């Protein structure tokens, strides 16, 4: 996925590893059991010989809810961001999505390969 410069962009997630209740669709996680969930996202960009930084955030119900770390781009590692949050969901309409931001002055591509990847996950910690 290509991310434009200086704008928050929703990450498109095409694959699921584990979703027994079918709560994940269209890059959105919508739990059907009310309670507290641990949500975690990682966003990785490829190597770049440029200045600038990237960041990631969890959006809840379309609004920026929790920011992760910011990371400078490097020639060797690119840029890597992580965000964690314990979030209450009502079990019907609440949802979360993973977003990213980069400010290198041009578009950048998010990594999705097996070694450095972009992921989004959540699990129920305690029902309401």
């Amino acid at each position: 996925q290509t991310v434009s410069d200086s704008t928050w962009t929703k990450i498109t997630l095409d694959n699921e590893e584990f979703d027994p209740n079918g709560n994940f669709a269209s890059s959105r996680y919508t739990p059907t059991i009310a309670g507290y969930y641990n949500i975690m996202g990682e966003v990785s960009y490829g190597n770049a010989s440029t200045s600038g930084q990237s960041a990631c955030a969890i959006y809840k119900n379309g609004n920026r809810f929790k920011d992760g770390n910011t990371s400078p781009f490097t020639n060797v590692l690119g840029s890597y961001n992580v965000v964690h949050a314990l979030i209450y969901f009502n079990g019907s309409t609440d949802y979360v999505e993973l977003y990213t931001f980069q400010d290198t002055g041009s578009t950048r591509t998010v990594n999705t390969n097996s070694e450095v990847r972009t992921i989004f996950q959540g699990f129920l910690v305690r029902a309401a």
Side-chain angles (χ1 to χ4, degrees):
Q1 175 180 353
T2 302
V3 177
S4 297
D5 180 56
S6 298
T7 183
W8 283 99
T9 304
K10 180 180 169 181
I11 294 291
T12 302
L13 300 157
D14 297 330
N15 298 313
E16 292 179 79
E17 291 182 12
F18 184 70
D19 185 13
N21 293 332
N23 296 337
F24 186 80
S26 301
S27 301
R28 178 183 288 185
Y29 181 59
T30 310
T32 54
I33 298 170
Y36 296 89
Y37 287 76
N38 182 38
I39 304 295
M40 190 275 291
E42 298 178 8
V43 178
S44 172
Y45 290 87
N47 304 355
S49 59
T50 186
S51 62
Q53 297 187 42
S54 67
C56 65
I58 296 170
Y59 275 53
K60 181 180 180 188
N61 300 331
N63 298 302
R64 203 158 104 210
F65 179 81
K66 177 77 172 185
D67 290 344
N69 69 309
T70 59
S71 175
F73 278 87
T74 68
N75 288 336
V76 178
L77 299 175
S79 183
Y80 179 76
N81 311 107
V82 179
V83 60
H84 295 267
L86 183 64
I87 303 173
Y88 177 80
F89 289 83
N90 63 15
S92 58
T93 59
D94 287 339
Y95 65 91
V96 288
E97 299 164 308
L98 182 61
Y99 275 69
T100 189
F101 179 93
Q102 62 87 19
D103 64 357
T104 60
S106 62
T107 60
R108 292 285 172 233
T109 302
V110 171
N111 276 339
T112 56
N113 66 42
S114 61
E115 294 173 4
V116 209
R117 61 184 174 218
T118 297
I119 63 171
F120 192 46
Q121 64 185 17
F123 62 87
L124 177 64
V125 174
R126 187 182 135 211

